[in-house]
Amino acid sequence: MLSFIVALVLAAAVFFFAVGTLGILRFPDFYTRLHAAGKCDTLASMLALFAVALFTLQDWTFAELLVSLKILAIAGFVFIASPTACHAITRAALVLGVEPWERREGKK
């Protein structure tokens, strides 16, 4: 049962990584691409780390519990650091003069 849950969470992580990649390829400018990458990669990384933390809890020993807690601590760091890094990169691009995309009249 635990393996099925881990596989399901990993499949969700792969889905969000794929959606983020698709967003990077399809969106028109730097800011929207970074938004897609930042949101999807953060969620996918969290799901993948959660799946690994669950997978290490096979026998429920104290050592496995400590490893899982360390993995969840890494997930917490990713949860804080990834959006902060995306914000810093976006702010730097704005300061450097990277223009946001605007839809032109007559085009859909």
Side-chain angles (χ1 to χ4, degrees):
M1 183 67 182
L2 185 63
S3 296
F4 177 73
I5 293 171
V6 168
L8 195 65
V9 174
L10 277 178
V14 169
F15 171 76
F16 283 109
F17 273 129
V19 167
T21 303
L22 186 64
I24 291 170
L25 295 174
R26 295 283 300 159
F27 284 149
D29 72 333
F30 174 78
Y31 298 106
T32 55
R33 289 176 183 162
L34 189 63
H35 179 76
K39 297 293 181 189
C40 291
D41 286 350
T42 301
L43 180 59
S45 298
M46 298 284 291
L47 288 172
L49 287 169
F50 181 68
V52 171
L54 278 178
F55 187 72
T56 58
L57 289 175
Q58 298 274 331
D59 297 327
W60 289 91
T61 63
F62 184 69
E64 289 177 352
L65 181 64
L66 285 178
V67 170
S68 290
L69 287 175
K70 289 175 187 178
I71 292 170
L72 291 176
I74 293 169
F77 176 75
V78 169
F79 184 71
I80 302 270
S82 183
T84 305
C86 285
H87 177 77
I89 292 168
T90 303
R91 181 72 142 196
L94 193 61
V95 167
L96 291 175
V98 177
E99 293 291 324
W101 175 78
E102 292 181 12
R103 180 177 286 206
R104 295 187 183 132
E105 294 298 321
K107 287 190 174 183
K108 291 186 178 181

XYZ file of all heavy atoms in Angstrom:
829
model
N 0.818 -1.193 0.000
C 0.000 0.000 0.000
C 0.865 1.261 0.000
O 0.568 2.215 -0.707
C -0.924 -0.031 1.231
C -1.863 1.124 1.306
S -3.045 1.024 -0.035
C -3.963 2.473 0.252
N 1.928 1.250 0.809
C 2.816 2.404 0.868
C 3.493 2.646 -0.474
O 3.630 3.796 -0.904
C 3.858 2.214 1.970
C 4.799 3.389 2.231
C 4.008 4.592 2.714
C 5.850 3.006 3.233
N 3.867 1.588 -1.167
C 4.502 1.726 -2.480
C 3.548 2.339 -3.489
O 3.963 3.134 -4.347
C 4.976 0.372 -2.985
O 5.968 -0.139 -2.152
N 2.270 2.004 -3.394
C 1.279 2.583 -4.296
C 1.130 4.088 -4.050
O 1.063 4.871 -5.000
C -0.074 1.882 -4.118
C -1.159 2.469 -4.959
C -1.184 2.270 -6.325
C -2.149 3.245 -4.378
C -2.183 2.812 -7.113
C -3.154 3.807 -5.148
C -3.166 3.581 -6.520
N 1.112 4.488 -2.799
C 0.999 5.914 -2.471
C 2.234 6.669 -2.943
O 2.129 7.763 -3.512
C 0.770 6.095 -0.954
C -0.585 5.534 -0.562
C 0.865 7.562 -0.549
C -0.814 5.459 0.929
N 3.406 6.082 -2.738
C 4.655 6.702 -3.192
C 4.643 6.848 -4.714
O 5.007 7.898 -5.254
C 5.876 5.884 -2.714
C 7.147 6.322 -3.415
C 6.025 6.010 -1.211
N 4.209 5.812 -5.420
C 4.151 5.880 -6.880
C 3.165 6.951 -7.338
O 3.429 7.675 -8.310
C 3.754 4.523 -7.450
N 2.053 7.082 -6.652
C 1.053 8.093 -7.000
C 1.597 9.507 -6.790
O 1.428 10.387 -7.652
C -0.205 7.869 -6.165
C -1.463 8.566 -6.613
C -1.909 8.044 -7.969
C -2.556 8.351 -5.579
N 2.275 9.721 -5.670
C 2.844 11.046 -5.393
C 3.971 11.359 -6.374
O 4.099 12.489 -6.853
C 3.324 11.119 -3.925
C 4.055 12.414 -3.652
C 2.148 10.984 -2.974
N 4.789 10.368 -6.713
C 5.846 10.586 -7.708
C 5.269 10.872 -9.090
O 5.804 11.696 -9.834
C 6.774 9.375 -7.772
C 7.877 9.323 -6.731
C 8.689 8.054 -6.879
C 8.769 10.538 -6.817
N 4.164 10.217 -9.436
C 3.511 10.499 -10.714
C 2.986 11.937 -10.738
O 3.099 12.625 -11.768
C 2.374 9.509 -10.955
N 2.459 12.398 -9.626
C 2.014 13.792 -9.542
C 3.197 14.747 -9.685
O 3.103 15.784 -10.357
C 1.285 14.036 -8.232
N 4.338 14.393 -9.085
C 5.538 15.226 -9.209
C 6.007 15.298 -10.659
O 6.333 16.376 -11.164
C 6.653 14.683 -8.317
N 6.016 14.166 -11.336
C 6.420 14.150 -12.747
C 5.445 14.978 -13.585
O 5.861 15.718 -14.492
C 6.515 12.694 -13.266
C 6.662 12.652 -14.774
C 7.672 11.974 -12.600
N 4.161 14.888 -13.284
C 3.161 15.685 -13.998
C 3.448 17.179 -13.845
O 3.439 17.921 -14.829
C 1.749 15.359 -13.489
C 0.703 16.284 -14.013
C 0.238 16.160 -15.315
C 0.175 17.293 -13.211
C -0.721 17.028 -15.813
C -0.783 18.159 -13.690
C -1.239 18.018 -15.001
N 3.723 17.628 -12.623
C 3.971 19.054 -12.425
C 5.300 19.497 -13.015
O 5.417 20.634 -13.503
C 3.862 19.419 -10.944
C 2.442 19.516 -10.485
C 1.903 18.560 -9.646
C 1.634 20.556 -10.908
C 0.596 18.635 -9.232
C 0.316 20.645 -10.500
C -0.213 19.685 -9.661
N 6.311 18.635 -13.011
C 7.550 18.956 -13.715
C 7.284 19.109 -15.212
O 7.801 20.022 -15.862
C 8.617 17.884 -13.489
C 9.454 18.081 -12.259
C 9.622 17.053 -11.352
C 10.097 19.274 -12.007
C 10.388 17.209 -10.222
C 10.877 19.454 -10.877
C 11.022 18.413 -9.978
N 6.467 18.234 -15.772
C 6.142 18.305 -17.205
C 5.346 19.569 -17.525
O 5.593 20.223 -18.542
C 5.370 17.058 -17.635
N 4.397 19.915 -16.668
C 3.607 21.132 -16.889
C 4.504 22.364 -16.814
O 4.371 23.299 -17.614
C 2.448 21.212 -15.872
C 1.804 22.586 -15.867
C 1.408 20.150 -16.177
N 5.443 22.376 -15.875
C 6.387 23.491 -15.784
C 7.262 23.593 -17.024
O 7.518 24.688 -17.530
N 7.701 22.460 -17.528
C 8.495 22.453 -18.755
C 7.686 22.955 -19.939
O 8.174 23.744 -20.759
C 9.016 21.038 -19.038
O 9.772 20.596 -17.912
C 9.876 21.005 -20.280
N 6.447 22.520 -20.020
C 5.565 22.998 -21.081
C 5.354 24.508 -20.975
O 5.345 25.216 -21.988
C 4.227 22.262 -21.018
C 3.237 22.544 -22.128
C 3.786 22.076 -23.461
C 1.919 21.863 -21.820
N 5.206 25.013 -19.759
C 5.060 26.452 -19.562
C 6.287 27.220 -20.004
O 6.183 28.292 -20.596
N 7.465 26.670 -19.724
C 8.703 27.326 -20.161
C 8.762 27.396 -21.688
O 9.193 28.385 -22.270
C 9.934 26.586 -19.600
C 10.017 26.784 -18.095
C 11.216 27.083 -20.263
C 11.052 25.909 -17.428
N 8.314 26.346 -22.339
C 8.363 26.307 -23.803
C 7.271 27.151 -24.461
O 7.486 27.698 -25.539
C 8.252 24.858 -24.287
C 9.401 23.940 -23.896
C 9.082 22.515 -24.312
C 10.697 24.408 -24.495
N 6.115 27.266 -23.838
C 4.967 27.892 -24.490
C 4.755 29.371 -24.162
O 4.199 30.100 -24.974
C 3.687 27.138 -24.118
C 3.632 25.726 -24.630
C 3.317 25.649 -26.083
N 2.024 26.255 -26.317
C 1.611 26.708 -27.471
N 2.376 26.610 -28.517
N 0.434 27.252 -27.612
N 5.147 29.809 -22.971
C 4.850 31.186 -22.590
C 5.732 32.172 -23.334
O 6.858 31.866 -23.706
C 4.977 31.361 -21.080
C 3.812 30.789 -20.305
C 3.990 30.291 -19.040
C 2.542 30.759 -20.845
C 2.932 29.776 -18.320
C 1.476 30.242 -20.139
C 1.672 29.752 -18.877
N 5.237 33.420 -23.531
C 5.894 34.335 -24.458
C 7.103 35.101 -23.930
O 7.940 35.523 -24.723
C 4.774 35.325 -24.811
C 3.897 35.334 -23.626
C 3.941 33.939 -23.086
N 7.218 35.347 -22.639
C 8.331 36.181 -22.190
C 8.976 35.617 -20.928
O 8.552 34.609 -20.372
C 7.869 37.629 -21.953
C 7.008 37.788 -20.727
O 6.349 36.814 -20.341
O 6.987 38.893 -20.157
N 9.996 36.302 -20.499
C 10.805 35.866 -19.363
C 9.981 35.734 -18.093
O 10.115 34.760 -17.355
C 11.949 36.877 -19.159
C 12.764 36.614 -17.942
C 13.717 35.619 -17.948
C 12.575 37.355 -16.786
C 14.474 35.367 -16.820
C 13.328 37.116 -15.660
C 14.279 36.121 -15.684
N 9.138 36.692 -17.818
C 8.406 36.719 -16.558
C 7.380 35.582 -16.455
O 7.255 34.943 -15.411
C 7.717 38.070 -16.372
C 8.704 39.209 -16.295
C 8.863 40.095 -17.348
C 9.494 39.383 -15.170
C 9.768 41.131 -17.277
C 10.410 40.404 -15.089
C 10.544 41.282 -16.147
O 11.449 42.296 -16.070
N 6.637 35.357 -17.516
C 5.652 34.275 -17.470
C 6.336 32.908 -17.454
O 5.856 31.983 -16.811
C 4.677 34.363 -18.655
O 5.425 34.388 -19.878
C 3.812 35.595 -18.553
N 7.458 32.790 -18.150
C 8.205 31.526 -18.120
C 8.765 31.249 -16.732
O 8.699 30.122 -16.235
C 9.350 31.569 -19.130
C 8.890 31.520 -20.548
C 10.033 31.653 -21.501
N 9.528 31.680 -22.864
C 10.227 32.115 -23.881
N 11.457 32.541 -23.700
N 9.698 32.111 -25.079
N 9.281 32.285 -16.090
C 9.809 32.108 -14.748
C 8.698 31.785 -13.759
O 8.890 30.987 -12.835
C 10.570 33.355 -14.301
C 11.354 33.232 -13.009
C 12.455 32.184 -13.158
C 11.951 34.558 -12.625
N 7.532 32.360 -13.967
C 6.389 32.063 -13.111
C 6.006 30.582 -13.223
O 5.804 29.909 -12.209
C 5.208 32.954 -13.489
C 3.992 32.709 -12.673
N 3.868 33.149 -11.388
C 2.842 32.062 -12.962
C 2.691 32.786 -10.912
N 2.049 32.115 -11.854
N 5.920 30.093 -14.446
C 5.578 28.678 -14.659
C 6.635 27.767 -14.054
O 6.318 26.783 -13.379
C 5.435 28.397 -16.148
N 7.885 28.109 -14.273
C 8.962 27.277 -13.743
C 8.987 27.303 -12.222
O 9.133 26.268 -11.572
C 10.300 27.746 -14.298
N 8.825 28.465 -11.660
C 8.903 28.596 -10.210
C 7.780 27.878 -9.484
O 8.009 27.151 -8.517
N 6.566 28.067 -9.948
C 5.419 27.446 -9.272
C 5.432 25.928 -9.432
O 5.289 25.185 -8.458
C 4.102 28.002 -9.822
C 3.898 29.456 -9.599
C 3.726 29.751 -8.141
C 3.492 31.234 -7.945
N 3.512 31.623 -6.566
N 5.567 25.469 -10.665
C 5.487 24.025 -10.916
C 6.682 23.281 -10.340
O 6.523 22.192 -9.779
C 5.365 23.768 -12.410
S 3.783 24.298 -13.080
N 7.872 23.844 -10.457
C 9.052 23.154 -9.936
C 9.043 23.089 -8.414
O 9.490 22.101 -7.832
C 10.333 23.817 -10.426
C 10.617 23.512 -11.873
O 9.934 22.645 -12.434
O 11.539 24.128 -12.440
N 8.531 24.132 -7.777
C 8.442 24.091 -6.321
C 7.494 22.991 -5.867
O 7.829 22.176 -5.000
C 7.977 25.448 -5.768
O 8.896 26.460 -6.171
C 7.887 25.419 -4.252
N 6.319 22.944 -6.472
C 5.354 21.920 -6.096
C 5.860 20.519 -6.436
O 5.747 19.592 -5.626
C 4.005 22.171 -6.772
C 2.906 21.160 -6.468
C 2.619 21.108 -4.972
C 1.652 21.499 -7.238
N 6.450 20.364 -7.603
C 6.955 19.048 -8.007
C 8.104 18.594 -7.099
O 8.174 17.417 -6.723
C 7.399 19.087 -9.466
N 8.983 19.502 -6.743
C 10.077 19.148 -5.833
C 9.543 18.740 -4.474
O 10.026 17.767 -3.871
C 11.033 20.331 -5.661
O 11.610 20.679 -6.873
N 8.542 19.468 -3.999
C 7.944 19.129 -2.704
C 7.306 17.738 -2.758
O 7.459 16.945 -1.834
C 6.896 20.167 -2.313
C 7.424 21.557 -2.142
S 8.300 21.772 -0.626
C 6.974 21.639 0.517
N 6.585 17.458 -3.827
C 5.947 16.144 -3.954
C 6.978 15.024 -4.056
O 6.818 13.963 -3.441
C 5.024 16.131 -5.170
C 3.727 16.924 -5.047
C 3.013 16.989 -6.395
C 2.828 16.318 -3.996
N 8.041 15.249 -4.830
C 9.076 14.224 -4.969
C 9.780 13.974 -3.639
O 10.028 12.819 -3.262
C 10.086 14.645 -6.037
N 10.089 15.025 -2.909
C 10.739 14.847 -1.608
C 9.795 14.180 -0.607
O 10.226 13.361 0.207
C 11.223 16.196 -1.075
C 12.449 16.762 -1.780
C 12.683 18.210 -1.377
C 13.673 15.919 -1.481
N 8.518 14.517 -0.665
C 7.548 13.858 0.205
C 7.459 12.368 -0.112
O 7.375 11.535 0.792
C 6.179 14.530 0.054
C 5.124 13.943 0.927
C 5.180 14.080 2.301
C 4.068 13.242 0.379
C 4.210 13.531 3.120
C 3.084 12.683 1.174
C 3.158 12.830 2.560
N 7.494 12.020 -1.403
C 7.457 10.608 -1.796
C 8.695 9.865 -1.301
O 8.598 8.739 -0.811
C 7.338 10.490 -3.319
N 9.852 10.506 -1.390
C 11.078 9.876 -0.897
C 11.014 9.713 0.617
O 11.425 8.675 1.164
C 12.322 10.688 -1.324
C 13.574 10.186 -0.649
C 12.488 10.642 -2.834
N 10.482 10.721 1.308
C 10.352 10.626 2.765
C 9.410 9.489 3.149
O 9.663 8.757 4.110
C 9.860 11.954 3.332
N 8.331 9.329 2.412
C 7.422 8.208 2.676
C 8.083 6.866 2.381
O 7.893 5.896 3.115
C 6.154 8.335 1.832
C 5.065 9.247 2.322
C 3.910 9.268 1.320
C 4.570 8.818 3.676
N 8.844 6.815 1.306
C 9.479 5.566 0.902
C 10.499 5.083 1.932
O 10.682 3.881 2.114
C 10.144 5.727 -0.464
C 10.677 4.445 -1.018
C 9.822 3.463 -1.490
C 12.038 4.214 -1.062
C 10.309 2.275 -1.997
C 12.535 3.029 -1.569
C 11.669 2.061 -2.031
N 11.155 6.038 2.606
C 12.153 5.628 3.601
C 11.507 5.067 4.860
O 12.191 4.434 5.660
C 13.069 6.801 3.993
O 12.271 7.857 4.509
C 13.890 7.265 2.818
N 10.221 5.266 5.032
C 9.531 4.755 6.221
C 8.982 3.348 5.993
O 7.845 3.047 6.342
C 8.394 5.690 6.617
C 8.791 7.024 7.204
C 7.569 7.883 7.429
C 9.549 6.821 8.496
N 9.768 2.462 5.456
C 9.316 1.099 5.185
C 9.084 0.305 6.473
O 8.059 -0.325 6.643
C 10.342 0.373 4.308
C 10.531 1.006 2.950
C 9.544 0.514 1.934
O 9.070 -0.607 2.020
N 9.239 1.335 0.953
N 10.055 0.341 7.388
C 9.976 -0.482 8.603
C 9.638 0.314 9.858
O 9.510 -0.256 10.938
C 11.307 -1.209 8.831
C 11.627 -2.168 7.711
O 10.675 -2.747 7.141
O 12.809 -2.331 7.395
N 9.542 1.626 9.749
C 9.225 2.506 10.869
C 10.219 2.371 12.025
O 9.845 2.307 13.180
C 7.802 2.270 11.374
C 6.780 2.763 10.408
C 6.198 2.050 9.418
C 6.255 4.076 10.320
N 5.327 2.829 8.713
C 5.329 4.085 9.264
C 6.449 5.242 11.044
C 4.623 5.221 8.897
C 5.733 6.372 10.673
C 4.839 6.359 9.612
N 11.501 2.347 11.690
C 12.521 2.368 12.735
C 12.858 3.825 13.052
O 12.508 4.749 12.312
C 13.793 1.627 12.285
O 14.353 2.311 11.169
C 13.482 0.178 11.936
N 13.561 4.025 14.157
C 13.930 5.380 14.569
C 14.864 6.025 13.552
O 14.744 7.214 13.265
C 14.575 5.349 15.955
C 14.897 6.705 16.499
C 13.887 7.577 16.883
C 16.212 7.120 16.609
C 14.179 8.835 17.372
C 16.513 8.372 17.098
C 15.498 9.231 17.484
N 15.801 5.238 13.016
C 16.740 5.769 12.021
C 16.010 6.209 10.759
O 16.310 7.271 10.194
C 17.795 4.714 11.692
N 15.048 5.419 10.309
C 14.273 5.791 9.116
C 13.422 7.028 9.377
O 13.234 7.869 8.493
C 13.395 4.626 8.671
C 14.173 3.486 8.075
C 13.293 2.322 7.711
O 12.098 2.339 8.048
O 13.809 1.377 7.091
N 12.911 7.145 10.585
C 12.136 8.328 10.941
C 13.000 9.580 10.909
O 12.575 10.628 10.412
C 11.511 8.154 12.324
C 10.644 9.300 12.818
C 9.422 9.472 11.922
C 10.236 9.079 14.251
N 14.233 9.476 11.395
C 15.144 10.615 11.348
C 15.484 11.006 9.911
O 15.542 12.200 9.585
C 16.427 10.310 12.129
C 16.307 10.333 13.653
C 17.639 9.964 14.293
C 15.839 11.682 14.126
N 15.704 10.016 9.064
C 15.996 10.296 7.658
C 14.801 10.986 7.000
O 14.954 11.972 6.273
C 16.388 9.006 6.906
C 16.454 9.246 5.418
C 17.708 8.477 7.414
N 13.603 10.505 7.292
C 12.398 11.122 6.726
C 12.226 12.550 7.208
O 11.831 13.436 6.434
C 11.160 10.308 7.078
O 11.173 9.089 6.392
N 12.516 12.796 8.475
C 12.417 14.157 8.998
C 13.440 15.084 8.351
O 13.144 16.256 8.078
C 12.575 14.147 10.518
C 11.394 13.596 11.296
C 11.717 13.528 12.785
C 10.156 14.427 11.053
N 14.625 14.563 8.074
C 15.640 15.363 7.383
C 15.194 15.682 5.963
O 15.386 16.805 5.473
C 16.980 14.626 7.368
C 17.644 14.555 8.714
C 18.911 13.718 8.657
C 19.483 13.498 10.028
N 20.681 12.640 10.002
N 14.604 14.725 5.292
C 14.099 14.960 3.935
C 12.973 15.991 3.961
O 12.906 16.880 3.106
C 13.654 13.640 3.287
C 14.858 12.750 3.034
C 12.905 13.899 1.984
C 14.514 11.343 2.623
N 12.104 15.915 4.948
C 11.037 16.910 5.077
C 11.595 18.286 5.421
O 11.032 19.305 5.007
C 10.008 16.454 6.109
C 9.173 15.254 5.694
C 8.248 14.834 6.824
C 8.379 15.535 4.430
N 12.701 18.339 6.155
C 13.361 19.622 6.411
C 13.909 20.212 5.116
O 13.827 21.429 4.896
C 14.475 19.445 7.438
N 14.452 19.360 4.256
C 14.915 19.820 2.942
C 13.731 20.348 2.134
O 13.830 21.377 1.460
C 15.647 18.683 2.202
C 16.951 18.341 2.905
C 15.914 19.053 0.748
C 17.603 17.073 2.405
N 12.600 19.659 2.208
C 11.404 20.121 1.509
C 10.959 21.488 2.028
O 10.545 22.350 1.252
C 10.277 19.098 1.660
N 11.056 21.689 3.332
C 10.726 22.995 3.898
C 11.662 24.081 3.392
O 11.233 25.203 3.101
N 12.950 23.750 3.272
C 13.902 24.709 2.721
C 13.568 25.042 1.272
O 13.625 26.213 0.866
C 15.329 24.155 2.824
C 16.356 25.035 2.183
C 16.757 26.202 2.800
C 16.911 24.699 0.962
C 17.697 27.030 2.216
C 17.847 25.512 0.364
C 18.244 26.684 0.993
N 13.226 24.034 0.483
C 12.842 24.264 -0.914
C 11.586 25.133 -0.980
O 11.481 26.031 -1.825
C 12.638 22.921 -1.650
C 11.980 23.123 -3.000
C 13.951 22.201 -1.822
N 10.646 24.898 -0.080
C 9.407 25.666 -0.042
C 9.671 27.149 0.215
O 8.958 28.009 -0.306
C 8.493 25.099 1.051
C 7.156 25.749 1.135
C 6.206 25.533 0.154
C 6.848 26.581 2.200
C 4.964 26.134 0.235
C 5.616 27.179 2.289
C 4.669 26.958 1.301
N 10.699 27.455 0.989
C 11.051 28.846 1.278
C 11.977 29.413 0.199
O 11.795 30.535 -0.267
C 11.749 28.950 2.655
C 10.861 28.402 3.738
C 12.213 30.371 2.938
C 9.942 29.328 4.402
N 12.991 28.654 -0.190
C 14.054 29.176 -1.049
C 13.646 29.332 -2.504
O 14.052 30.297 -3.161
C 15.280 28.271 -0.956
N 12.858 28.425 -3.028
C 12.524 28.480 -4.456
C 11.693 29.713 -4.825
O 12.053 30.427 -5.765
C 11.819 27.191 -4.877
O 11.548 27.207 -6.249
N 10.605 30.007 -4.131
C 9.879 31.241 -4.472
C 10.701 32.508 -4.210
O 10.590 33.490 -4.958
C 8.648 31.211 -3.562
C 8.480 29.799 -3.190
C 9.859 29.222 -3.163
N 11.542 32.466 -3.180
C 12.391 33.624 -2.901
C 13.390 33.846 -4.028
O 13.622 34.981 -4.455
C 13.136 33.420 -1.564
O 12.169 33.164 -0.546
C 13.952 34.625 -1.193
N 13.976 32.771 -4.534
C 14.917 32.880 -5.647
C 14.218 33.375 -6.912
O 14.764 34.220 -7.637
C 15.583 31.533 -5.902
N 13.021 32.873 -7.171
C 12.270 33.344 -8.343
C 11.954 34.828 -8.228
O 12.048 35.577 -9.206
C 10.981 32.542 -8.510
S 11.254 30.901 -9.140
N 11.590 35.264 -7.040
C 11.310 36.681 -6.835
C 12.571 37.524 -7.045
O 12.510 38.583 -7.687
C 10.761 36.909 -5.423
C 10.519 38.344 -5.112
N 9.424 39.022 -5.592
C 11.238 39.235 -4.390
C 9.471 40.269 -5.177
N 10.561 40.419 -4.440
N 13.703 37.061 -6.530
C 14.959 37.798 -6.689
C 15.368 37.874 -8.161
O 15.815 38.931 -8.631
C 16.060 37.149 -5.858
N 15.209 36.785 -8.888
C 15.553 36.786 -10.313
C 14.627 37.719 -11.088
O 15.063 38.478 -11.961
C 15.502 35.348 -10.875
C 16.618 34.504 -10.269
C 15.617 35.349 -12.401
C 16.480 33.021 -10.547
N 13.345 37.691 -10.765
C 12.385 38.572 -11.435
C 12.696 40.029 -11.129
O 12.636 40.889 -12.019
C 10.953 38.227 -10.989
O 10.701 36.861 -11.271
C 9.939 39.085 -11.689
N 13.010 40.323 -9.886
C 13.350 41.692 -9.499
C 14.600 42.175 -10.230
O 14.669 43.311 -10.693
C 13.542 41.743 -7.987
C 13.860 43.070 -7.456
C 12.656 43.966 -7.509
N 12.670 44.763 -6.307
C 11.662 45.426 -5.875
N 10.538 45.371 -6.525
N 11.744 46.137 -4.806
N 15.602 41.306 -10.353
C 16.829 41.666 -11.062
C 16.547 41.927 -12.541
O 17.092 42.869 -13.123
C 17.871 40.567 -10.910
N 15.682 41.113 -13.137
C 15.339 41.331 -14.549
C 14.601 42.653 -14.721
O 14.837 43.386 -15.690
C 14.481 40.178 -15.061
N 13.737 42.980 -13.790
C 13.009 44.244 -13.860
C 13.957 45.433 -13.719
O 13.852 46.415 -14.466
C 11.940 44.279 -12.770
C 10.888 45.355 -12.865
C 10.097 45.208 -14.170
C 9.957 45.276 -11.678
N 14.909 45.332 -12.809
C 15.889 46.404 -12.616
C 16.776 46.552 -13.850
O 17.133 47.666 -14.245
C 16.733 46.131 -11.347
C 17.946 47.028 -11.278
C 15.879 46.290 -10.106
N 17.107 45.440 -14.491
C 17.961 45.487 -15.684
C 17.214 45.932 -16.936
O 17.820 46.120 -17.982
C 18.613 44.130 -15.925
C 19.674 43.728 -14.900
C 20.167 42.326 -15.165
C 20.832 44.716 -14.923
N 15.905 46.055 -16.846
C 15.140 46.588 -17.968
C 14.531 45.557 -18.890
O 14.185 45.894 -20.030
N 14.378 44.348 -18.454
C 13.719 43.337 -19.274
C 12.232 43.697 -19.333
O 11.560 43.764 -18.306
C 13.922 41.922 -18.706
C 13.163 40.896 -19.531
C 15.403 41.584 -18.653
N 11.747 43.945 -20.520
C 10.366 44.392 -20.694
C 9.387 43.225 -20.648
O 9.630 42.185 -21.254
C 10.208 45.104 -22.040
C 10.973 46.412 -22.125
C 10.397 47.485 -21.221
O 9.158 47.546 -21.073
O 11.201 48.245 -20.648
N 8.267 43.404 -19.955
C 7.220 42.369 -19.988
C 6.552 42.315 -21.354
O 6.488 43.315 -22.075
C 6.227 42.804 -18.921
C 6.893 43.874 -18.143
C 7.962 44.451 -19.000
N 6.040 41.161 -21.687
C 5.351 40.955 -22.954
C 4.002 41.656 -22.929
O 3.305 41.653 -21.921
C 5.164 39.460 -23.179
C 4.373 39.107 -24.398
C 4.814 39.101 -25.690
C 3.013 38.693 -24.442
N 3.828 38.709 -26.536
C 2.690 38.452 -25.787
C 2.031 38.506 -23.487
C 1.441 38.036 -26.201
C 0.786 38.094 -23.887
C 0.496 37.862 -25.235
N 3.636 42.271 -24.052
C 2.316 42.887 -24.196
C 1.704 42.388 -25.487
O 2.369 42.284 -26.517
C 2.428 44.403 -24.229
C 2.875 45.002 -22.921
C 2.952 46.514 -22.977
O 2.441 47.097 -23.966
O 3.515 47.091 -22.056
N 0.407 42.105 -25.437
C -0.304 41.651 -26.637
C -0.466 42.840 -27.583
O -0.902 43.904 -27.184
C -1.659 41.093 -26.250
C -2.439 40.609 -27.470
C -3.711 40.002 -27.047
N -3.362 38.711 -26.467
C -4.173 37.683 -26.430
N -5.390 37.791 -26.849
N -3.790 36.552 -25.905
N -0.148 42.619 -28.841
C -0.320 43.659 -29.849
C -1.721 43.602 -30.412
O -2.309 42.532 -30.534
C 0.706 43.482 -30.965
C 2.110 43.675 -30.478
C 3.071 43.658 -31.649
N 4.424 43.773 -31.120
C 5.414 43.008 -31.472
N 5.233 42.053 -32.354
N 6.600 43.179 -30.958
N -2.249 44.740 -30.784
C -3.593 44.809 -31.359
C -3.623 44.079 -32.700
O -2.685 44.151 -33.482
C -4.021 46.264 -31.551
C -4.202 47.012 -30.257
C -5.285 46.430 -29.391
O -6.322 46.007 -29.913
O -5.082 46.371 -28.161
N -4.694 43.369 -32.936
C -4.859 42.661 -34.196
C -4.368 41.225 -34.166
O -4.657 40.453 -35.056
N -3.602 40.851 -33.157
C -3.107 39.479 -33.042
C -3.843 38.780 -31.909
O -4.187 39.372 -30.918
C -1.616 39.445 -32.764
C -0.780 39.801 -33.950
C 0.667 39.491 -33.646
C 1.495 39.702 -34.896
N 2.876 39.344 -34.682
N -4.048 37.491 -32.096
C -4.710 36.710 -31.050
C -3.766 35.731 -30.440
O -2.806 35.334 -30.897
C -5.911 35.974 -31.599
C -7.005 36.927 -31.975
C -8.226 36.143 -32.373
C -9.355 37.113 -32.697
N -10.561 36.440 -33.069
